[in-house]
Structure formats: C-alpha cells, structure tokens
C-alpha cells in the first residue's frame, strides 16, 4: 500500500447546481460497498458506490496509484457511478476509494485490480455435471449462497500448470471463509485448501496436470454456509502461484535475486529492484510465461543487507556466522528443524530483535532464544508480536552470541521463511485519530463547514524518545486554519480544532498529517496512519481484515445551521474542585434540533460526563467538570464538539479554549468532633490560605447527617481558623459520620471557584439516661413480739456423724 503522490488522485465534477439550504443539507455520507468488487488493469471500468446520503457527490478520493477518476454520475441519493481508468502498470491488489459530497466525506471501501479479464458466475453450477465451462486465465466473479457449491471446468494439456487463487475474505464484504479444490475428470481431488497463510482465510493452489483433459475448480464456504454477501473473485489460470519468497526482505535501492517458493511447477528465480524506504505494504509478484500471480508476497524493505542461513546450522557448533549489521534469513524446512546464527556484539549494545514470519505471511510460528557464546541462556520470546517474536537485547559483555530460531510446535515446511532484524534503538513516531466507535470510521476524516469549526484528537505513539510535540503541517487546505497547542511530554493525545473561513471554497483533498518534535533539530517527525475494520467475527467481534491508509481526507462543506462556543472561563478549576463549563449554541433561524455535546479531551485528573444534550429550544448547556486532588496543574487546550441531525449527523466544534488547573486557594483541617443528639457543638477549622488570597471565601459544611445543620461562614483574608456551629436534633442519627467536608466558594474575576477541603468525622451519641433517687421504704406495721422459734437442726453429714460417734466412744472409755 504505497504512499504515492498519485494516490491522491481525484476529479471534481459539478453534477448539478444545488442552492444551499441550511435546513435541508444532508450530512455524513455513508459508503457501504463498491461494485463490481474488482476490475482489470489496462481498461476503463464503471464502479457503483452504494450507501446512504450520497447525494451531491463531487469527488472520489483514491489512496493508491494507478487508477484515474474520469467522472461521476449521480444515480440517486444512495448510489453514485464512478468512471475510472486503470493504468497498464497499476499495482495488482486492493485499492481504496471514498466519496466527497457537498456535506461530508464517506468511509473508505475497497475494490480490487487484477490482471485477468472477468467473467460472471452462471447458475446452475452446483454439481460436477453442471460445471460452468470457462477459459484459462480468467477471474470469475461469483456468490456462495447457503450450502452452495460452485464448479468450474477448464481444459488442460499434460504438464500444464493450473493455479487458483480466491479473493473472498479479502474483499472486505463479510466473514466469508472459502474452501477451494482442484479435481480431475474422475472426481479425484488433486489439491485443496481452506486457509493459506499468504492470503489469510482465503486460499491458493497450484498443480501440474498429470494428463490432458478436463479439470474442475470447486469453491464453497468451508462449513457449507454462505449468503448473498459471500462474494468472491476466483482467479483460474496458468500463472505462477508461489507461497513464499526467499530471502523475504532486502536493502532499499538494491537489486536482489529472489527465489519464489511453493509453486507446483517448481521454484522461480527473479531479480527485483527493491524500492526506497517508507513504502508501506511492498510486495513482490512472481511472473513467467504463464502470467503473473494475482497477489504479491510481502517483502521487507529496510536499510539492512542480507545474511542467508547456511545448512547445516541446527546447533551451536554449526551456527551460521553473521553480522548484526545485516538481517538473518532462513527457512524452517522440515519438522524439528532449528536454525542457529552466531554473531558478535559489544558490551552495552542494545537492540530490538524482531523475527518476521507471520507478518510477512509465512506459516511459521517462530520462537527465538538468545545465548552467550558458551551456550548459556540470556533471553527468549514466543508471541510478543502476535505469533511473531520480539525481545530487547542488551549485550552484557563484548563477545560472541547465538540466536536460535524454531517453530513453536516444531513444525517445518519448505515455505516457512523468516527474517531476523537487529534494530538499534531509534526514535519513532506515528500519528492517528482515536476511534470514537470501535467498529466504524465515524469522525476519522476532517470535515468542516464553511464559517465553522471541527475538532479532533491526535494520538501520538512515541518510541524511544520523549518531549513535546507540535503539528508539523498546518497548510491542509485553502481557507482552513489549524488551531493547536504543543502536546505535553507525558501526554499521548492532542486536541486540534480546524476552522474554515466563511468564504472557503467547498472542496477537499487527501493530505499528509504530521506531528513533529517541538525541537526541529531532533529531526523526529511522524506521519498519519489509520486502520479501519472491514471484517469482524467470533470471538468477540475480532478483526479479521482491515484497511490501511496513510493519508487523511479533509473537506470543506456547505454551511451548517448551528455553531458552538465555549464561554471562556476567567477563573481556574482547582484540585478537588468543580466547574460549570458553559457551552453556547448559535442557531440559524428555524433550526430546532437537540444537540449532543461531547468534551473529548480531558486533561489529566479532569473528569466529565460522556456527553450532555442541549434541548432543541435552548441555546446554552452546562458541562460539569471535576478535578481530582492530583489533577495536573497548568493551562490546557480544550474544545467541545456537537452533533445534530441535519438530514443526517452533522458535527461542529467550539473554538480551542483554555482550561486553567490550579492549586486550591485555601486548605482547611478539622479535628474529629462529637456531641449528643439535640446538642450544638462548635467545630473548629484550621485554615491555611494560599499566597495572594484576597477578599473572602464562603465555607459550607456538606455531608452532615440528616437533621443536623450548620450555617455557612466567611473566611476572610488573614484568617487562620474559623468556627462552625453544628446543630443536631433529637432524631439526628447516632453513629460515626465520616462524610462531612467543607465546600469552598471563592470568587475569581467575578466567577465562582468551587472546591472541597477539610474532611472530618462527626460523632453523634445518644444522651446518657437521667440519674434517679432510690425509693423511700414503707414504714413497717407494729407487730406483737413472737416467741423465739428454734431453727430446726441441720442434718449431719456422714463425716460429721462418724466424728461424733468417735468422740462419744472416747468419752465413754474414761
């Protein structure tokens, strides 16, 4: 997917004059699919772009070279015909296209460019006897319905190569996992495939016809599913179809000899001119007298030369000697195969060791290990780059080292190629627009109405460097101004507002969006990259296919019937404080739609609702911001963005305003207090005023228990303590109440600054019971003196009886 100046090709075509109508203008065009799904290079073709709100289409943007737009024809509000010319040397494979209308820019969608003429599937072709006869070297466009199987018949000479490749999932229409097979006239299957690593869930096959006669190509959904969206482009012919190239990378600008591996007719050797650095998604095509492969084999373009493994190199003793100034290339050719390279590094050298296998569409699942020269282990990795491996390696001493490569499951195959690159630590920067919706391209383009504004966030991925970043290119489109502030060193997000002059021309283009280091002497710049999800599936809406671009579309569109403005705060928000940020709406006469407003950029420590709604009959809304106790101090750029229904969603941003985060103007401390129900208690607050505090602040206790109150007090300049009187009632709940705190309101530039401080505990107890006097005894009534009654004798215990008997015996003996 090359970034090429011609990839910005577009044609502005005035279809008809439409008088601007603020209240009837459509917005946010939606592109769903491009038909047909593929065209032949060296021809002219007509594409039909279908979706919603595509009326007043003016331009088609193309992101890659080789295709020229000749004209547009409006079919209806949801369909546009685009006439294109495909160059003879147009790169084969995916092209990306999107529409600009007078009200916005659509999503980008794909179509494919092939080398072969197209034929359409003809039903019935669901059995061998019904197979559709076709010529060799054509591309069949078809659909697999539920439980559908499509058969195609070709006639081959003995020894002739028959190659098949299907584009199905890669068309980006739906989750279509195709199965393809080649059968002979006796119904024997010569080859079949479900998934090929080279082409993801799609498949490639090639066989050499053992005899002259008819052969059959079969395609179905792998589990016999299918639906009207399961479209395919089936390339059938004599072209070479390798599954790998070796070496799988080379040095930019050099001419290199490559071996194409995996074709049924044997290896093919070609010389290829390696392009310059920075060309995304470069691949090489195998070509011979039978034709050219329909899709490329990915090829790494770097500033490294190549070292190729020398077999045998399966152990430390036979390791291939290599220089880390080159890339190490090899093939895990047989089950259990292991490749070892020996290299020298200096003490303290640090490298990022990358193993490229799955990322260059090899079937290898690599595992790498690094050892000292004596065989003692240092580090290893399996899946840090998806199935590929990565580790950061620092040489502990000067000397020899070893790196070992094998497959995770000890598999091996003739096309299991890999490439090891020792990359020195170097600064790198990429830029994208964060998604607001995981699965859509909403607000991934820059669409601004004349005399209005649009806002976006830029996300920066810094690698191996720090420092502030600024927008690197601000001349995006005539009449458009870019407003931004430097991105803080500890931040990855930057708010940007673009503003179109009232007389800016309606139009658009693809632009390179860049960020750069604030110190231009560093030379650190990063360009825009973006991936859009095309095909999702189980589990959990995993992404099976996406589209990749390295430019962004910008468009100036017709006026919109509303605008937004942040009422610039003249006072700061302070830590542990809140702010009611006012958003003002200016509505065109007659425009009465609710406006959903978001606050996309939140400085560190600032919280806010996800959105607020300004009702259709109002012109102002309030966004409640709150600052944590550790909110990052300083002045921060902020903006608001609104969405309203203007014949579809239409977005407008406020100006880039400033939010000042400051320290609280005072700090209060309150000791634990306690009282009984129904009592009053003085609560003493010790106050520390910030330097420069003038005037007075109102302090109010918030969070008292039910039926407990305290009057606000004023904290004057110079005060060191203030006293609140907390009044409780008989039914104030008993217990430890830990929620009370002080809410401070301090006026700055005639605006209230509200924050909290002085959290404390209030203990409320039940009153102790009142003490009571003992009751007086009743006087006793006089009674006649009774004769003493002798208490009955207590029965003696057995021991007492024995002792008594013994005493009596002794007395009788005297």
């Amino acid at each position: 997917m090359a970034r090429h100046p011609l990839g910005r090709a577009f044609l502005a075509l005035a279809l008809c004059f439409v008088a601007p109508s603020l209240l009837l203008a459509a917005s946010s065009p939606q592109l769903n699919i491009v038909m047909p799904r593929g065209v032949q290079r060296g021809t002219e073709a007509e594409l039909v772009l279908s979706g919603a709100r595509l009326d007043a289409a003016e331009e088609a943007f193309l992101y890659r070279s080789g295709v020229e737009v000749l004209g547009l024809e409006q079919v209806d509000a949801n369909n546009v015909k685009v006439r294109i010319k495909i160059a003879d040397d147009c790169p084969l494979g995916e092209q990306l296209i999107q529409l600009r209308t007078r009200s916005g820019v659509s999503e980008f969608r794909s179509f494919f460019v092939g080398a072969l003429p197209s034929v359409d599937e003809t039903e019935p072709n669901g059995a061998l006897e019904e197979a559709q006869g076709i010529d060799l070297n054509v591309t069949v466009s078809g659909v697999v319905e539920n439980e559908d199987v499509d058969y195609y018949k070709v006639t081959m000479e003995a020894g002739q190569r028959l190659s098949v490749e299907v584009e199905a999932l890669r068309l980006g229409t739906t989750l279509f996992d195709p199965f393809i097979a080649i059968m002979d006239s006796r119904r024997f299957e010569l080859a079949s495939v479900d998934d090929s690593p080279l082409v993801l869930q799609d498949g490639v096959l090639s066989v050499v016809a053992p005899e002259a006669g008819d052969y059959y190509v079969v395609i179905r959904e792998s589990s016999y599913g299918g639906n009207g969206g399961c479209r395919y482009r089936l390339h059938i012919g004599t072209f070479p179809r390798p599954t790998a190239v070796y070496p799988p990378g080379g040095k930019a600008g050099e001419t290199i000899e490559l071996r194409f591996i995996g074709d049924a007719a044997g290896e093919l050797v070609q010389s290829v001119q390696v392009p310059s650095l920075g060309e995304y998604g470069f691949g090489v095509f195998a070509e011979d007298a039978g034709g050219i492969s329909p899709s490329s084999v990915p090829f790494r373009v770097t500033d490294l030369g190549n070292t190729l493994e020398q077999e045998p190199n399966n152990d430390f003793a036979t390791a291939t000697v290599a220089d880390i100034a080159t890339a190490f290339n090899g093939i895990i050719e047989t089950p259990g195969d292991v490749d070892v390279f020996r290299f020298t590094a200096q003490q303290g050298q640090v490298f990022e060791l990358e193993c490229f296998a799955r990322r260059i569409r090899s079937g290898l699942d690599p595992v790498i290990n690094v050892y000292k020269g004596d065989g003692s282990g240092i580090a290893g990795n399996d899946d840090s780059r998806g199935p590929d491996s990565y580790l950061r390696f620092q040489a502990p001493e000067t000397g020899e080292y070893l790196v070992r490569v094998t497959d995770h499951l000890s598999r091996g195959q003739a096309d299991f190629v890999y490439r090891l690159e020792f990359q020195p630590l170097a600064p790198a920067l990429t830029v994208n627009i964060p998604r607001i919706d995981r699965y859509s391209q909403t607000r991934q383009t820059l669409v601004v109405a004349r005399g209005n504004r649009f806002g976006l966030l830029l996300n920066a991925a810094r690698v191996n460097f720090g420092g502030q970043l600024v927008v690197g290119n601000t001349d995006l489109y005539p009449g458009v101004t870019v407003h931004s502030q430097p991105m803080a060193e500890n931040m990855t997000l930057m708010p940007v507002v673009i503003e179109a002059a009232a007389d800016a021309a309606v139009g658009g283009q693809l632009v390179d969006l860049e960020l750069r280091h604030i110190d231009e002497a560093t030379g650190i710049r990063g360009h825009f990259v973006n991936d859009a999800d095309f095909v999702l599936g189980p589990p959990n809406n995993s992404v099976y296919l996406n589209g990749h671009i390295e430019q962004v579309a910008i468009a100036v569109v017709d006026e919109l019937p509303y605008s937004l403005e942040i009422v610039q705060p003249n006072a700061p928000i302070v830590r542990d404080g809140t702010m009611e940020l006012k958003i003002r709406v200016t509505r065109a006469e007659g425009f009465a739609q609710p406006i959903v407003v978001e606050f996309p950029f939140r400085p560190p420590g600032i919280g806010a609702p996800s959105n607020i709604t300004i009702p259709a009959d109002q012109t102002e809304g309030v966004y409640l911001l709150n600052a944590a106790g550790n909110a990052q101090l300083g002045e921060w750029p902020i903006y608001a963005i609104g969405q309203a229904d203007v014949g579809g969603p239409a977005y407008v941003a406020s100006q880039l305003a400033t939010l000042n985060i400051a320290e609280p103007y005072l700090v209060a401390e309150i000791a634990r207090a306690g009282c009984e129900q129904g009592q009053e208690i003085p609560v003493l607050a010790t106050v520390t005023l910030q330097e420069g505090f003038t005037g007075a602040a109102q302090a109010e206790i918030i969070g008292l228990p039910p039926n407990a109150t305290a009057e606000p007090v004023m904290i004057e300049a110079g005060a060191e303590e203030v006293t609140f009187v907390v009044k409780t009632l008989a039914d104030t709940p008993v217990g430890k109440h830990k929620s009370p705190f002080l809410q401070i309101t301090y006026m700055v530039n005639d605006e209230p600054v509200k924050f909290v401080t002085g959290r404390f505990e209030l203990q409320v107890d039940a009153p102790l019971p009142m003490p009571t006097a003992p009751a007086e005894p009743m006087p006793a009534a006089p009674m006649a003196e009774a004769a003493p009654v002798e208490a009955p004798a207590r029965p003696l215990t057995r021991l007492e009886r024995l002792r008594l008997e013994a005493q009596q015996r002794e007395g009788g003996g005297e």
Side-chain angles (χ1 to χ4, degrees):
M1 302 181 188
R3 297 175 68 234
H4 192 287
L6 293 178
R8 306 176 191 177
F10 59 83
L11 177 69
L13 189 66
L15 302 177
C16 57
F17 176 79
V18 181
S21 171
L22 294 179
L23 301 183
L24 297 178
S27 300
S28 296
Q30 177 182 322
L31 177 59
N32 296 332
I33 194 168
V34 179
M35 294 295 292
R37 300 300 295 121
V39 294
Q40 184 183 11
R41 69 178 175 183
T43 66
E44 293 186 5
E46 186 175 80
L47 303 175
V48 178
L49 279 59
S50 300
R53 300 182 297 275
L54 299 180
D55 46 318
E58 290 195 337
E59 293 181 82
F61 295 146
L62 289 162
Y63 283 85
R64 293 166 196 162
S65 62
V67 179
E68 177 187 357
V69 177
L70 301 177
L72 277 68
E73 178 185 344
Q74 191 82 53
V75 179
D76 54 38
N78 299 323
N79 295 276
V80 176
K81 290 181 180 179
V82 180
R83 188 76 182 169
I84 60 173
K85 180 179 181 180
I86 307 98
D88 293 341
D89 60 351
C90 177
L92 301 180
E94 184 185 64
Q95 289 276 341
L96 297 175
I97 188 170
Q98 66 189 150
L99 277 179
R100 182 189 67 79
T101 72
R102 290 192 67 86
S103 61
V105 177
S106 74
E107 297 89 345
F108 60 84
R109 299 296 181 195
S110 68
F111 67 96
F112 278 68
V113 173
L116 305 176
S118 295
V119 298
D120 291 331
E121 173 195 8
T122 302
E123 292 282 3
N125 64 341
L128 197 70
E129 298 76 13
E130 300 174 328
Q132 179 179 343
I134 58 173
D135 294 331
L136 285 169
N137 297 313
V138 298
T139 297
V140 182
S141 297
V143 178
V144 170
E145 300 286 355
N146 188 38
E147 299 184 355
D148 191 9
V149 181
D150 292 343
Y151 290 83
Y152 299 95
K153 181 176 69 175
V154 294
T155 301
M156 307 291 298
E157 298 294 333
Q160 196 174 21
R161 175 178 56 205
L162 175 59
S163 295
V164 178
E165 177 175 339
V166 62
E167 293 159 352
L169 179 101
R170 288 176 293 164
L171 294 182
T173 306
T174 189
L175 182 54
F176 177 18
D177 183 9
F179 168 90
I180 57 174
I182 298 174
M183 301 169 62
D184 64 16
S185 59
R186 294 181 291 275
R187 299 177 183 266
F188 286 106
E189 188 177 277
L190 303 181
S192 65
V193 68
D194 180 0
D195 302 333
S196 299
L198 176 65
V199 290
L200 306 175
Q201 272 71 26
D202 292 343
V204 299
L205 291 174
S206 67
V207 300
V208 173
E211 59 187 15
D214 292 337
Y215 290 82
Y216 298 87
V217 177
V218 184
I219 180 170
R220 61 174 170 82
E221 202 276 331
S222 61
S223 58
Y224 290 92
N227 57 59
C230 290
R231 297 180 174 88
Y232 62 82
R233 282 169 44 85
L234 190 63
H235 308 282
I236 302 173
T238 59
F239 50 83
R241 185 54 281 176
T243 54
V245 66
Y246 185 77
K251 188 173 183 178
E254 291 188 346
T255 299
I256 185 171
E257 189 173 89
L258 302 178
R259 293 166 46 204
F260 286 94
I261 303 168
D263 185 79
E267 288 191 3
L268 180 66
V269 177
Q270 286 182 200
S271 291
V272 173
Q273 176 70 39
V274 182
S276 59
L277 290 171
E279 185 168 333
Y280 174 84
F282 178 74
V284 290
F285 291 84
E287 188 171 6
D288 63 11
I292 185 171
S293 54
S295 61
S296 66
V297 180
F299 186 86
R300 288 277 301 162
V301 178
T302 68
D303 57 1
L304 302 174
N306 284 324
T307 294
L308 308 184
E309 67 159 323
Q310 300 297 317
E311 292 284 1
N313 65 337
N314 287 37
D315 53 37
F316 295 165
T318 59
T320 297
V321 178
D323 186 340
I324 55 176
T326 64
F328 304 173
N329 302 270
I331 308 174
I332 302 298
E333 295 182 275
T334 58
D337 190 12
V338 174
D339 288 348
V340 183
F341 295 86
R342 183 180 296 273
F343 62 93
T344 300
Q346 302 298 311
Q347 182 178 16
Q349 278 187 294
V350 181
F351 301 97
E352 292 184 313
L353 178 54
E354 294 269 10
C355 183
F356 292 90
R358 291 295 178 87
R359 286 175 287 177
I360 52 174
R361 304 286 178 84
S362 168
L364 179 70
D365 182 0
V367 178
I368 60 173
N369 293 92
V370 177
Y371 304 86
K372 291 183 179 179
D374 60 7
S376 56
I378 296 178
N381 184 258
D382 183 4
D383 291 338
S384 283
R385 294 285 195 262
D388 283 352
S389 301
Y390 158 87
L391 58 84
R392 180 169 288 194
F393 166 69
Q394 181 171 7
E397 58 192 39
T398 298
E400 288 192 335
Y401 294 88
L402 299 152
V403 58
R404 178 180 184 270
V405 185
T406 190
D407 182 77
H408 176 71
L409 297 177
S410 297
R411 300 171 306 138
Q413 200 165 292
D415 58 359
F416 276 14
V417 300
Y418 65 86
R419 180 177 173 89
L420 285 172
E421 295 179 3
F422 286 80
Q423 300 170 346
L425 300 187
L429 174 64
T430 56
V431 185
N432 65 21
I433 300 173
R435 299 187 194 183
I436 63 168
D437 184 342
R438 180 180 174 187
Y439 304 118
S440 83
Q441 298 178 45
T442 303
R443 292 194 347 226
Q444 295 287 297
T445 54
L446 314 182
V447 178
V448 57
R450 298 204 304 176
N452 220 315
R453 294 176 289 251
F454 179 77
L456 67 148
L457 294 178
L458 291 182
N459 180 70
R462 300 180 182 88
V463 178
N464 298 324
F465 79 96
Q468 292 182 312
L469 301 175
V470 295
V471 176
N473 54 330
T474 56
D475 297 328
L476 300 182
Y477 190 77
V480 173
T481 304
V482 177
H483 304 279
S484 66
Q485 295 294 326
M487 180 190 294
E489 183 173 0
N490 67 319
M491 297 295 293
T492 60
L493 292 175
M494 170 193 288
V496 177
V497 170
I498 60 174
E499 185 171 4
D503 59 353
V506 172
Q509 62 187 23
L510 298 181
V511 297
D512 297 307
L513 190 60
E514 292 184 341
L515 291 180
R516 65 168 176 82
H517 198 284
I518 195 169
D519 180 3
E520 288 196 76
T522 64
I524 299 174
R525 303 182 78 91
H527 68 272
F528 175 82
V529 295
N530 188 36
D531 293 323
D533 299 337
F534 280 176
V535 179
L536 308 172
N540 303 318
N541 274 339
S542 298
V543 178
Y544 284 72
L545 181 76
N546 57 33
H548 180 90
I549 58 174
E550 298 198 0
Q551 291 177 295
V552 63
I554 184 171
V556 174
V557 300
D558 285 328
E559 294 85 348
L560 288 171
Y562 75 103
S563 62
L564 291 182
E565 179 187 5
I566 291 177
V567 177
Q568 174 61 52
N570 294 316
I573 184 172
V574 301
R575 288 175 166 174
D576 284 322
T578 60
M579 173 183 285
E580 293 183 351
L581 186 69
K582 293 182 180 179
I583 312 293
R584 188 169 293 155
V585 180
T586 300
R587 298 176 181 270
E589 184 178 354
F591 180 70
Q593 290 288 335
I595 300 170
V596 178
V597 180
E598 300 174 28
F599 188 71
F601 179 71
R602 296 163 192 190
I606 296 296
S610 58
N611 59 67
I612 63 171
T613 298
I614 301 176
D617 60 347
Q618 295 185 21
T619 58
E620 190 171 277
V622 173
Y623 228 113
L624 182 62
L625 310 183
N626 59 79
N630 62 349
Q632 188 169 334
L633 304 176
E635 292 188 347
W636 295 89
I638 58 171
Y639 73 97
I641 189 165
Q643 173 190 335
D645 184 359
V646 186
Y651 297 93
V652 160
S654 71
Q655 85 281 21
L656 199 65
T658 300
L659 181 68
N660 183 16
I661 304 175
E663 291 281 10
Y665 288 92
L666 64 87
V667 177
E669 294 182 1
I670 301 176
R672 181 176 180 272
C675 67
E676 295 179 354
Q677 289 173 312
Q679 289 186 341
E680 295 184 0
I681 181 174
V683 174
L684 180 67
T686 302
V687 177
T688 301
L689 302 179
Q690 188 184 79
E691 184 177 351
F693 181 95
T694 60
Q698 177 181 282
E700 181 180 2
I701 298 180
I702 304 297
L704 289 171
N707 299 321
T709 59
E711 293 295 324
V713 301
M714 299 301 294
I715 301 176
E716 305 288 346
E720 296 182 354
E721 58 183 37
V722 292
T723 301
F724 298 84
V725 177
V726 175
K727 300 177 181 180
T728 65
L729 301 179
D731 55 354
T732 298
V734 170
K736 294 181 179 180
H737 301 283
K738 299 182 180 182
S739 58
F741 59 88
L742 296 187
Q743 177 175 281
I744 308 297
T745 303
Y746 180 61
M747 299 302 293
V748 176
N749 296 326
D750 296 324
E751 294 181 3
V753 177
K754 295 187 177 183
F755 57 97
V756 300
T757 184
R759 297 184 182 277
F760 68 99
E761 179 181 310
L762 177 65
Q763 173 77 42
V764 178
D765 295 321
L768 293 174
M770 296 293 292
T772 56
E776 292 290 334
M778 296 291 292
M783 297 179 63
E785 187 173 339
V789 178
E790 185 175 348
R794 177 177 63 82
L796 298 178
T797 66
R798 183 173 179 275
L799 180 59
E800 289 174 333
R801 290 198 304 271
L802 292 174
R803 287 175 178 170
L804 180 58
E805 292 173 354
Q807 291 175 357
Q808 290 174 346
R809 284 195 300 269
E810 291 175 0
E814 290 182 355

